[in-house]
Amino acid sequence: MFPGCGVLSGQNQYLTRDAVRPHPGLEVNGPIQMENGGTPGTCPVYHDQTYSNAGQQAVVYNVSSPLKPTPLPVPPPALKLGQEGFKKVCRTEEDSPCPFPGLASGVLEMRVKEGSKIRNLMGFAMTRMQGETGVSGGGVSGGGLRQVVFTGSGRAVTKTITCAEIMKRKVGSLHQLTKLQYKVVKEVWESSEGGTSEMTVHRTVPSISVLLSKDPLDPQEPGYQPPETLSALWDEREGIESATQAACKRPLGPLPYSGFPHCKRVCLGEGVSVHPPH
Amino acid sequence: MTEPRNPGMSSMPQTAPVHTDSTSPAVEMDPVEYTLRKRLPRKLPKRRNDVYVNMKTEFRAQLARCQKLLDGGGHREICVHGLGLAINRAINIALQLQASSQGALQLAANTSTVELVDDLEPEDPDEAGEPMTRTRNNSAIHIKVFYPDPQ
């Protein structure tokens, strides 16, 4: 299924999206040629700890049984393979469709893993985005890349968002598009008691993809965020709706997120309709 | 409620730019020992259709609460918020809601940075240590789960 799988151990991968995919819709950006963007089409296989996040589902098939796509909604009981003498042999992230269908090819894709260091990720991505002369090499345009995608799944989701937030802050005036989806992870477990039994687990983990672009994106697209909403995301809406405090039902106690005398309203949806000055 | 304890911070203009690494000065921890006390995240709005996901409540209960808001609560959209570790759970809830709606629901995720304040209280009041505060940033996600308007 995955020819040419390399076995890595949780290091960062910098890949460019390979250009074979058809791109319907708008081409926001021209293709950017990158000289050392990694090997297109590799699939990362790495050993990893067990995900134990609540709500993640796992469906077990024997190896002999045909592998079907995992039906999503019904959560089967959580499997504790590790406690039954099984050892995880390998973990493969299956290819999922690109969450940004209109994306131009050659966009820098940062795959954030659980063990990725933010300084490594950011060091690389910032260099590419700022396009400092000499570093990008090969005569790439001086302005740097126009777009970058951060993707991460499972426990790397938080780190992915942090990377995107740092980049927004450092670069400034970036349009953002955030997409969520489930990613199917295939795990092979092996009995540690010397038996030959092997199990393949299809697990779905939540994943996030954040597209940051110097060029305007479609503001109607769900998940769009205009530039410079860093602090405005909360503040402007508070100003609008601070009069309505009756919405607060619960007593203001030591509840997280409510330890403030005023209970103000916010509406995230309003930001979507803000058009970029363009 | 955090306001009286922290007059310095509360007077800070809300539009102040958020800097991750630069605002917190390098605090000298020695020789006085400090207790690090994490404050609650500062004020956040709460409508009836806002759901703040945490890691203490059971996942299923939080999912059921969201489902109830959408099904019985008469809301056409809810906002699921998660901070830090709870981001994962917030995404999970949103995706579960979407999956169980057979595609009727749409998601629109926004990310943000939330500034958090830690209090440093000296262990031993006799020593010269003064109470200090430190700010740090954490990532947050805000997912709007909604039925798209028929067009």
Side-chain angles (χ1 to χ4, degrees):
Chain A
M1 194 191 277
F2 293 104
C5 278
V7 177
L8 311 167
S9 52
Q11 66 237 46
N12 311 335
Q13 293 218 327
Y14 310 118
L15 296 189
T16 44
R17 197 174 293 289
D18 46 338
V20 288
R21 212 172 270 127
H23 299 289
L26 74 167
E27 291 250 328
V28 192
N29 198 2
I32 296 160
Q33 299 305 322
M34 304 235 326
E35 66 291 339
N36 59 345
T39 338
T42 48
C43 59
V45 181
Y46 58 92
H47 299 282
D48 204 358
Q49 301 96 302
T50 316
Y51 278 83
S52 62
N53 207 357
Q56 288 179 355
Q57 316 146 20
V59 177
V60 178
Y61 302 98
N62 281 323
V63 187
S64 54
S65 69
L67 300 175
K68 291 173 282 189
T70 313
L72 275 185
V74 201
L79 291 162
K80 297 273 196 294
L81 286 169
Q83 293 166 13
E84 292 167 16
F86 279 92
K87 221 171 84 181
K88 197 193 293 187
V89 182
C90 106
R91 180 178 179 274
T92 319
E93 282 183 16
E94 302 204 342
D95 278 337
S96 42
C98 171
F100 309 109
L103 200 60
S105 59
V107 169
L108 176 65
E109 183 184 356
M110 305 291 295
R111 295 196 179 171
V112 183
K113 305 285 183 205
E114 207 178 313
S116 307
K117 296 283 172 283
I118 288 183
R119 60 174 176 272
N120 295 345
L121 294 164
M122 293 314 293
F124 183 88
M126 289 302 291
T127 318
R128 287 304 174 93
M129 285 296 271
Q130 288 167 345
E132 281 156 26
T133 49
V135 187
S136 54
V140 182
S141 65
L145 298 178
R146 305 296 296 172
Q147 294 180 323
V148 63
V149 177
F150 287 96
T151 56
S153 62
R155 284 188 219 169
V157 161
T158 313
K159 197 170 282 186
T160 309
I161 297 176
T162 304
C163 286
E165 288 291 319
I166 292 175
M167 172 155 286
K168 277 198 293 181
R169 211 152 46 218
K170 283 190 176 169
V171 176
S173 309
L174 285 178
H175 299 259
Q176 181 183 353
L177 193 55
T178 311
K179 290 289 176 190
L180 308 174
Q181 62 183 8
Y182 272 124
K183 183 171 259 185
V184 180
V185 173
K186 195 180 85 176
E187 292 171 357
V188 179
W189 291 72
E190 204 171 58
S191 176
S192 57
E193 282 142 19
T196 52
S197 64
E198 213 179 60
M199 289 217 279
T200 304
V201 182
H202 280 235
R203 196 188 286 274
T204 52
V205 295
S207 81
I208 191 169
S209 302
V210 181
L211 168 66
L212 293 175
S213 169
K214 292 177 183 170
D215 303 312
L217 301 168
D218 180 15
Q220 301 302 321
E221 187 71 20
Y224 171 77
Q225 257 175 288
E228 323 299 354
T229 43
L230 294 175
S231 51
L233 192 66
W234 297 112
D235 298 340
E236 57 185 65
R237 285 147 195 161
E238 280 171 23
I240 296 166
E241 306 197 52
S242 58
T244 49
Q245 294 181 15
C248 193
K249 217 170 77 175
R250 295 195 175 193
L252 289 163
L255 291 165
Y257 289 101
S258 67
F260 197 75
H262 304 292
C263 195
K264 295 171 180 174
R265 291 179 139 203
V266 79
C267 181
L268 286 166
E270 286 169 12
V272 178
S273 60
V274 177
H275 288 261
H278 177 71
Chain B
M1 250 164 234
T2 51
E3 216 167 9
R5 282 198 294 160
N6 189 15
M9 285 298 295
S10 62
S11 65
M12 196 185 70
Q14 303 220 334
T15 49
V18 191
H19 295 291
T20 339
D21 317 309
S22 53
T23 46
S24 49
V27 178
E28 188 63 47
M29 294 291 285
D30 294 329
V32 190
E33 298 228 334
Y34 284 95
T35 313
L36 189 118
R37 206 173 283 254
K38 293 178 180 177
R39 262 183 229 178
L40 292 173
R42 48 190 256 174
K43 52 89 225 192
L44 281 177
K46 181 105 173 77
R47 293 167 299 175
R48 280 177 198 275
N49 59 343
D50 275 318
V51 177
Y52 287 91
V53 174
N54 63 20
M55 294 307 282
K56 290 181 183 166
T57 314
E58 195 191 14
F59 176 82
R60 268 180 298 156
Q62 300 185 75
L63 180 62
R65 188 166 150 225
C66 296
Q67 195 78 63
K68 208 169 129 193
L69 281 173
L70 285 166
D71 292 343
H75 292 286
R76 288 202 56 81
E77 66 167 65
I78 61 171
C79 286
V80 182
H81 310 262
L83 174 68
L85 189 62
I87 288 175
N88 234 322
R89 187 172 274 195
I91 296 176
N92 231 326
I93 285 178
L95 287 169
Q96 288 283 319
L97 290 170
Q98 190 185 34
S100 60
S101 75
Q102 275 94 33
L105 284 169
Q106 276 195 16
L107 307 181
N110 281 10
T111 64
S112 73
T113 303
V114 175
E115 198 168 84
L116 300 174
V117 183
D118 293 338
D119 286 318
L120 290 170
E121 296 171 353
E123 286 278 7
D124 187 356
D126 296 335
E127 301 205 34
E130 285 191 15
M132 289 189 284
T133 59
R134 251 198 300 197
T135 58
R136 64 192 160 92
N137 285 331
N138 208 343
S139 299
I141 195 165
H142 319 278
I143 312 167
K144 188 171 77 161
V145 185
F146 62 104
Y147 292 104
D149 289 326
Q151 306 224 334

